[in-house]
Structure formats: structure tokens, C-alpha cells
Amino acid sequence: MKKTLKLKIFASFMLLIAMLAIAGAISILEFRWLSNSVHGLVEDNYKSIEASKKMVEALEREDSGILLLMLGEWEEGREILKAADRSFFSAFEVAKNNLTENNEESYIRDIEKAYRIYKSSWQRPIVDTDKQGNIVWYKDDIHQKFVDTKSAVNELMSLNQSSMFNEVSDLKEKSKRAIMPGIVSIIAALVFSIILNFFITKYFVNPISELAEAVDNYRDGDKSLRVDISSNDEIKKLENAINDLLQRQVKNFNTSKK
Amino acid sequence: MKKEIIIKHLGVVLLLNGVFLFISFLISFFLNESSTVSLLFSALICGIFGVFPLIFVERTEHISFNEGLTIVVLGWIITCVVGMLPYLMWGGEFTLTNAWFESVSGFTTTGSTILTEIESLPKGILFWRSSTHWIGGIGVILFVLLILPRSKGQRITIYNTEISSLSKMNFRYNTRKIVHILAVVYISLTLLETIALMVFGMNFFDAINHSFATIATGGFSTKNLSIAEYNNLGIEVIIMVFMILSGNHFGLIYGTIMLKKENLFRSSLAKTFVSVLLIGILLVTLKLYLSGTYDLLTSLRYASFQVISLGTTTGFATVDTIHWPIFTQIILIYFTIQCAMSGSTSGGLKFDRVYIFFKLLGKQIKLLKHPNSVFVSKFDGKRIDEKLEEQTLVFIVLYVAVFFATTIILTAMDIDGMTAFSASIATLGNVGPGFENVSSLGNFASLPDFGKFVLSINMLLGRLEIFNILALIMIKK
């Protein structure tokens, strides 16, 4: 295929546009992934962490409720236990329906099991029984079950926290990856422009200047048009055309002289 | 100097890199890895910059020496620059300095790494890392010569600057034939090693990556523990055989296969090279055994692998030599300095120069006894040109000067003596691992950024044989 001036300029700009377009597309794609990751981070882990915090809070309120019952405060104790139990289950449901990590289901099962055991201990009457004021029962039975349940919830929280930490590290990498095509393409476009400028000067500007100079020289008396254009494009055609024109002029001049 | 010709050839170098980057991208794409975008974008950049000069620059018949030299030196530098793009864009442990270091180390077939967690890298990046060895092993420019149909003049000019005069000594063919011999031997050895490693239980991906690294005498592994990860004698023997082959002159390997007169078994240089390796293995084995480090067979197994690995400038490891007796470390340092034969894929000082140096030493001793006599050094029955002797001596002096300068610069950065010394010589010789903090199973991550940059310059000087860079600077001035 003959490389005309039009084709050369068109191809160069197409390459530049392609590079910038690809860099732009990749950056948009990377930023979309980044945004999905942020969304995922909030949706997946943050929800479970918040639910775990609420469960721990509810457990601590239940513990206070039990202590009130042990002091003989039946009404207030039962009220606190009921509210805390509702609060625990509502948070537990959130965590249960937000399984995002590997093996998270087994953590939920552990919490469910530990809480069932804990709840069965304080559901039975405490006021007016041998449990009222019985600090040994509280220490050996209730407190241990409370700690077990709280530990199970904390483990779920740790799982989601560590996953969140990893996600944040990943996000840092992803944001870097999203920026890099832009940085690289800016540098590449700069280099590309310098090379393009060199080629335009070398293959377009210089030959035209040389042709203009040669025509000037001809006008000043130098009857040979000496320009060496290596390319095989319109400028070469122009050189040939000028050569041809000048040769005809010389021929006409000689004929008219005769 | 015609800049457009240089730009056009550099473009072709970029296109070659683009092909390997695209293969790496395909691996990442099919495995759905995080490096997909960085590899694709790097491949596209190479493709665009490779095609662009072809639009403008017309076919040229003649390339001057200066242009050839500039193409070779800039070709290596530009290759290293684009080589770091996928690393830099992917991130992880690759900062700007680390990406540059890893890229230069790959292309110059040094094999020193800054990575502490190689196995966590995506497979696409691992493949690109090994590809840099393979592209660099035979010389980026030789690949270009092979790919492009060129006029005789162009081929000879570029070939003369890419290959040192020492390498040409065993070739008795025209340039076109030599380029094809190099390529055929290179590709055949790679395929053979891949198959052999798979026979001994390595999976295809690891086998091809380790073959790239062995035949190029590079040393990048896909495992944190290098070859020690496999703990497989069969794999070690295969790699040792191919390391020795890759450390030999490719012309001699071709001659051996084609049953030519000039072959591995008749070349005194090749025989001396293997003999020196055997002496090294014997000495290290005995010391390891007598010092109670290992039993006799284990000593032989580890000594063989380490001596061959460093003696051929490959740099793979089956054991950490950091706790070995100092005598064995000194022997290994000798092999790090000596390097492999010219005409092979190795860089550095080269065994041929050491051989010529000792021949010259013998000649000088004889001259002391008989000052008026005329002695001629010979090399496989052929006279060694005095110009070559002179060049060899100048090269050795320059080599030692660069090595000392680098050691001094590194110690100025409070790097301990052994680390600085061994890192300098290991990078200048394109060997890879050194001792202490940069030992065989260690890495260069702990070195300061400026230290890594200095060592990367060392690698380029070792690969380009110092003279080419000096010539370019001097001629330009």
C-alpha cells in the first residue's frame, strides 16, 4: 500500500487516539471495579460488624438484667432481658442474612448454639429461687455462658474486620491500578508527540523547505533543482512536478530563443 | 546519524516485547487474574510505539556503525523500560525502583530479585518475568534480526555490535546463518528442557518458565525457594545439564549436533570450562563433607548444583549457601567472577577472557625467560590476535574497576562488606545471587533504592560488555 501524506497523518493520529481511548476505557473500567469494591466493603463486612456490635451490646444488657433479677428486681430485670433479647435477635438476623465470607455460616451456627444455651439459663425463674443472690451460680454457670456467647460474636466480628482490612489493602492496590494507565498514557502521549513532531519535521516540513529553497535558487540562476526526497509520497510528487515544470520552462525558453 | 532508522528499529524491538506481553496477558485473562489490565495495556503501548515508526520510515539498505551501536544500546534500555510497565502498573511489591530492577535483572538474565513473595504473583506476571529472561538471553537485537528480513549490510552492522568478537570465534558461517543457528539452538534447548522437566513431574507452566530461565542462564523461578521447592533429584540433574549446555558456545552445540569438526568435544575451551566446573564441584563437595555440613552424597548434590548454577551465571538455588564454610563461598565467588563462555546466553566477564588472560600470563612468563623470543598464543590451534589480547586485558581492568566502584558505592550506603562485594560481582556478571543479605535463597529487597539502581546499571554494563556503552558515549562526544 502506498503511504500517502494523508494516510501517514491519519494513521499517526489514530494511534494516538487509540492509545488515549484505551487508557481512558481501562481507567473507567478500573474505577468501576473500585466503586464496586467500596460498595461491597460497606455492604458485606460493615453490615456484619455493626450487627456483631449490636449483639454484644444486647448480651451485656442481658447480663445486667440477670444481675437485677438476682437482686430480686423481677419486673425491671425481665423488662431489660426481653428488650435485649429482641435486640439480639434482630442483629443476629442481619448477620445471618449477610453471609459474605468463607465459612461465615459456621460462625453464625456457633453464635446461635451458644446463645440458645445462655438463654435457657436465664429464662428459668431466678427471683425467689435459690439462684437469687447466688453469686457462685452466676460465676460458674451464667457468666461462663455469657462469655462463650460473646466470644462467638466477637469471632464473627473479627472475621469481618480482617476481611475488611484485606479489602482496604486491595482497594489501595486497585486505586493505584486505576490511576496507572492514566499516568503511563500521559507519559506515552508526550513521547509519542515528540516522535511525531520529529517525523513531521523530517518528512513534511524539511522537504517542503528544501523545495522552496531549491526553487529560490533556480530563480537566482541555479538551473538545476537539487533536492533529495527519500519518501514516496505527495512531496516526492511535488518535487517531480516542479522539476518537470522547470524543465519545460527551460525547453520553451530555448525554443523561443531559436 | 539517521535518527529515523534508530527509531524504526527500536519500534521493532518494542513489537517483539509486545508479542510476549500479549501472551502473558492471555494467560492472565484466561485465569481471570488481577494483572490482566496491566499486561494488556503494556502490550498495547508496545504495539502502538512499534507500529508508529513503520508508517513513516522507508526501507533502508545501510546502517552505519554508530547507528548500529545506538540501536543495540538504546534497544536494551528501552526494552528494560517497557519491561517494567506491567510490574509498575500491577503494583504489589513493585515500586518504581523495584520494577526497574526486576525488569533489568530479567532482560540482562541476571536473575536477582526484589520479590519476597514470588508465589503470590499472578501467573501472567510470572510468565512475563520469565519471558524477559528468554528475550534477553539471546539478545533482544538478535531476535529482531531473526524476525525482520533485512539487507546483508544492516544485519552485519547490528550483529557486530550485539555480539562480542569473542563470541564470533567459533562461528564459521555468514551472519544470516549465525543468527539462525543461535535461534534454532536456543528454541530447541528450551523445548527439550520443558519436556524433560515435565517428565520429572514439573507442571507445564513451571517447566516452561524454568526452561526460559535456564536456557537464558537467568535464574528467575516461579517459587520462593527456587529449585529447592521441588526437592527432586531428577529435576536438579535436568536443570544442571541444560545450565551447562546454555553456558557453552551455541556454535559448538550446533556443531556437535550437526557432527561438524568444531564441536563441544573438540573445543579445548569448552573442555577446560567443564573441567574447571568439575574441579570446583570437587573442592566444594570435599569441604562441605569434611566440615560436617552434609553427608558425602548430599554435599555432592548441593555442590554440583550451586557450582554449575553460578558457574554458568544462571543463579538457581537448591540450598541457601549463607551458612556454608567460607572456603566454599570463595570458590563460588570465583565462579561468579569467571562466568560462562562467550557465544552462550551468559553475560559478565566470560570464561574465554579468563582463558585468554591465563594464556597471556603464560606468554609473559616465557618472555621473562626468553626476552627476545616471539611467542604466539593459540586457541584451539588458531592464533589469538594480539588486538584481541589487548582488548581482553582492557576489558578485565575495566570490569574490575566497575566492580570496585560499585562495591564502594554500596558500602557508602552502610551495606555490609560481603553483601556489597557479592552483590556487585553477581550483578556485573549477570549471575544473580550473592552472599549474606543477597544469598541464594534471599533477595535484594532490603537494599536501599539507590543501591538497587546502581546494581541495575551494573547488570546493563555486564550484559552490554561495558565497551558498547563506553563506545556510544565516546563516539557521541
Side-chain angles (χ1 to χ4, degrees):
Chain A
M1 189 172 60
K2 197 177 171 189
K3 288 186 245 173
T4 60
L5 279 181
K6 198 175 159 187
L7 179 76
K8 285 177 185 177
I9 294 170
F10 178 73
S12 306
F13 280 103
M14 283 313 288
L15 283 175
L16 188 62
I17 290 165
M19 185 169 67
L20 294 175
I22 292 162
I26 288 174
S27 284
I28 291 167
L29 212 67
E30 290 274 11
F31 275 113
R32 266 192 69 184
W33 286 337
L34 198 70
S35 133
N36 287 344
S37 298
V38 175
H39 185 72
L41 192 76
V42 175
E43 280 294 303
D44 300 345
N45 301 116
Y46 189 68
K47 237 183 187 178
S48 293
I49 291 168
E50 278 301 298
S52 303
K53 278 182 187 167
K54 278 183 186 160
M55 279 191 269
V56 169
E57 202 185 302
L59 283 171
E60 274 162 3
R61 275 166 56 207
E62 281 175 6
D63 190 47
S64 310
I66 293 165
L67 286 170
L68 282 172
L69 288 177
M70 282 175 70
L71 289 170
E73 303 281 341
W74 186 86
E75 204 170 325
E76 203 181 343
R78 280 290 152 193
E79 200 61 41
I80 288 173
L81 276 171
K82 244 191 237 173
D85 185 43
R86 272 199 308 273
S87 170
F88 182 90
F89 267 111
S90 112
F92 179 74
E93 280 303 307
V94 172
K96 196 178 171 183
N97 293 321
N98 189 41
L99 300 178
T100 51
E101 300 303 318
N102 281 342
N103 218 18
E104 198 174 356
E105 205 175 349
S106 74
Y107 286 78
I108 295 288
R109 274 201 302 271
D110 288 348
I111 294 171
E112 200 172 16
K113 192 179 159 195
Y115 187 69
R116 205 183 320 117
I117 296 167
Y118 176 54
K119 194 177 171 182
S120 68
S121 299
W122 57 255
Q123 258 183 332
R124 284 184 220 119
I126 295 171
V127 179
D128 297 335
T129 66
D130 60 338
K131 291 171 191 163
Q132 189 174 337
N134 188 345
I135 199 72
V136 177
W137 169 76
Y138 175 79
K139 190 175 154 263
D140 293 348
D141 189 21
I142 285 286
H143 187 68
Q144 193 52 50
K145 285 167 186 167
F146 163 73
V147 170
D148 289 347
T149 316
K150 202 174 158 183
S151 301
V153 176
N154 279 335
E155 273 175 32
L156 177 74
M157 190 150 58
S158 300
L159 174 79
N160 281 282
Q161 274 171 341
S162 65
S163 163
M164 198 164 169
F165 178 78
N166 292 337
E167 280 279 336
V168 170
S169 305
D170 267 7
L171 272 178
K172 270 188 193 167
E173 281 294 315
K174 277 179 185 165
S175 65
K176 196 180 157 196
R177 275 175 212 149
I179 296 165
M180 282 315 284
I183 296 173
V184 172
S185 55
I186 288 168
I187 298 167
L190 200 72
V191 176
F192 193 93
S193 308
I194 293 167
I195 302 172
L196 183 62
N197 179 56
F198 167 75
F199 281 141
I200 287 175
T201 310
K202 167 88 191 166
Y203 290 101
F204 306 155
V205 180
N206 286 352
I208 291 171
S209 303
E210 281 172 32
L211 269 177
E213 199 183 330
V215 172
D216 278 350
N217 289 342
Y218 179 87
R219 194 188 53 204
D220 296 343
D222 182 358
K223 297 298 175 200
S224 60
L225 195 76
R226 281 187 226 99
V227 184
D228 182 27
I229 292 165
S230 56
S231 61
N232 191 22
D233 51 28
E234 285 90 337
I235 298 177
K236 184 77 187 171
K237 266 189 192 170
L238 180 65
E239 185 208 5
N240 292 337
I242 293 173
N243 255 333
D244 191 42
L245 182 76
L246 296 178
Q247 272 167 13
R248 280 181 194 204
Q249 207 185 4
V250 170
K251 213 185 264 176
N252 289 342
F253 179 73
N254 290 339
T255 319
S256 63
K257 245 175 126 180
K258 279 175 192 173
Chain B
M1 200 152 60
K2 289 177 182 162
K3 292 188 188 79
E4 63 277 15
I5 294 175
I6 296 165
I7 295 172
K8 184 184 174 183
H9 282 81
L10 294 180
V12 181
V13 169
L14 289 180
L15 278 179
L16 172 78
N17 281 293
V19 171
F20 280 88
L21 278 166
F22 192 72
I23 298 170
S24 308
F25 151 72
L26 289 178
I27 294 171
S28 267
F29 178 73
F30 285 113
L31 295 173
N32 196 21
E33 292 176 327
S34 55
S35 57
T36 309
V37 167
S38 49
L39 286 164
L40 174 67
F41 194 66
S42 306
L44 286 170
I45 290 272
C46 284
I48 287 170
F49 275 90
V51 168
F52 175 44
L54 299 177
I55 299 169
F56 287 94
V57 188
E58 304 287 333
R59 194 184 158 88
T60 335
E61 288 301 319
H62 179 72
I63 290 182
S64 70
F65 173 73
N66 281 4
E67 285 156 5
L69 189 66
T70 314
I71 290 167
V72 171
V73 175
L74 287 186
W76 276 96
I77 293 169
I78 281 184
T79 299
C80 292
V81 171
V82 296
M84 73 177 196
L85 282 183
Y87 301 143
L88 195 61
M89 290 172 75
W90 182 73
E93 290 183 76
F94 295 113
T95 58
L96 182 69
T97 316
N98 284 355
W100 167 253
F101 184 91
E102 200 75 3
S103 175
V104 176
S105 176
F107 282 112
T108 56
T109 73
T110 307
S112 306
T113 184
I114 48 82
L115 293 169
T116 52
E117 266 303 322
I118 296 167
E119 284 160 59
S120 65
L121 251 58
K123 283 203 158 57
I125 292 277
L126 281 176
F127 183 78
W128 169 242
R129 199 165 157 262
S130 306
S131 300
T132 59
H133 269 341
W134 206 67
I135 300 168
I138 200 167
V140 181
I141 311 299
L142 281 182
F143 265 123
V144 173
L145 285 180
L146 182 79
I147 294 162
L148 281 186
R150 293 190 178 279
S151 67
K152 203 178 162 190
Q154 263 186 307
R155 207 182 276 273
I156 288 173
T157 312
I158 300 177
Y159 164 81
N160 280 341
T161 40
E162 174 73 4
I163 288 199
S164 76
S165 52
L166 279 168
S167 316
K168 294 171 207 157
M169 287 186 76
N170 276 302
F171 283 120
R172 295 286 174 269
Y173 311 98
N174 63 35
T175 320
R176 189 184 168 82
K177 179 92 176 158
I178 294 169
V179 172
H180 278 94
I181 287 174
L182 280 170
V184 167
V185 173
Y186 197 62
I187 294 165
S188 309
L189 286 177
T190 309
L191 290 176
L192 278 174
E193 194 192 342
T194 306
I195 295 165
L197 288 174
M198 285 173 75
V199 168
F200 281 92
M202 208 183 260
N203 66 50
F204 175 69
F205 183 77
D206 284 357
I208 190 98
N209 279 287
H210 283 102
S211 298
F212 277 7
T214 314
I215 306 306
T217 62
F220 279 161
S221 174
T222 50
K223 303 289 175 193
N224 289 332
L225 293 177
S226 190
I227 307 302
E229 169 79 21
Y230 300 96
N231 193 21
N232 181 324
L233 186 63
I235 286 175
E236 288 167 30
V237 171
I238 292 297
I239 290 178
M240 279 193 274
V241 169
F242 281 92
M243 282 196 290
I244 293 176
L245 284 172
S246 307
N248 265 289
H249 196 292
F250 277 21
L252 292 175
I253 298 174
Y254 180 79
T256 312
I257 298 162
M258 302 306 285
L259 303 172
K260 301 244 177 214
K261 214 170 80 182
E262 281 172 329
N263 59 46
L264 283 172
F265 302 103
R266 291 189 64 172
S267 161
S268 58
L269 194 67
K271 282 191 276 189
T272 317
F273 174 62
V274 175
S275 307
V276 173
L277 283 178
L278 288 174
I279 293 168
I281 291 169
L282 185 73
L283 290 172
V284 175
T285 305
L286 284 175
K287 184 65 192 173
L288 286 176
Y289 174 62
L290 294 173
S291 63
T293 314
Y294 308 109
D295 62 62
L296 187 62
L297 284 178
T298 313
S299 300
L300 179 66
R301 178 179 172 181
Y302 288 153
S304 311
F305 196 92
Q306 291 310 129
V307 168
I308 293 170
S309 177
L310 297 189
T312 57
T313 77
T314 311
F316 279 140
T318 50
V319 68
D320 201 344
T321 51
I322 197 166
H323 303 299
W324 280 16
I326 189 71
F327 172 78
T328 58
Q329 294 190 356
I330 297 293
I331 298 279
L332 292 177
I333 286 175
Y334 166 74
F335 282 103
T336 306
I337 296 169
Q338 175 196 280
C339 302
M341 285 172 68
S342 56
S344 70
T345 54
S346 67
L349 185 61
K350 304 235 167 71
F351 178 73
D352 310 42
R353 290 199 177 93
V354 178
Y355 186 83
I356 292 173
F357 173 77
F358 281 111
K359 284 263 178 192
L360 202 57
L361 193 67
K363 195 165 115 177
Q364 291 304 316
I365 291 166
K366 281 183 201 165
L367 274 172
L368 285 176
K369 272 169 96 180
H370 310 285
N372 297 322
S373 307
V374 175
F375 293 103
V376 176
S377 304
K378 286 194 173 175
F379 192 81
D380 277 342
K382 282 164 231 133
R383 187 174 177 271
I384 301 175
D385 187 11
E386 280 190 4
K387 207 171 131 194
L388 185 63
E389 288 179 341
E390 199 182 317
Q391 273 181 3
T392 304
L393 278 181
V394 173
F395 188 89
I396 292 173
V397 171
L398 264 175
Y399 195 84
V400 173
V402 172
F403 154 61
F404 268 113
T406 317
T407 309
I408 289 166
I409 293 170
L410 291 182
T411 47
M413 282 182 261
D414 294 329
I415 295 169
D416 72 273
M418 187 57 154
T419 305
F421 172 82
S422 60
S424 305
I425 202 66
T427 48
L428 190 60
N430 300 138
V431 177
F435 293 94
E436 288 296 329
N437 293 341
V438 291
S439 67
S440 51
L441 289 181
N443 57 64
F444 286 65
S446 61
L447 298 186
D449 278 359
F450 186 66
K452 286 175 194 164
F453 181 72
V454 169
L455 291 176
S456 66
I457 301 296
N458 247 13
M459 295 178 208
L460 279 169
L461 284 172
R463 186 75 222 178
L464 286 165
E465 301 224 313
I466 307 174
F467 277 144
N468 276 337
I469 291 184
L470 279 181
L472 187 71
I473 297 165
M474 298 302 183
I475 290 167
K476 281 241 164 192
K477 277 185 179 171

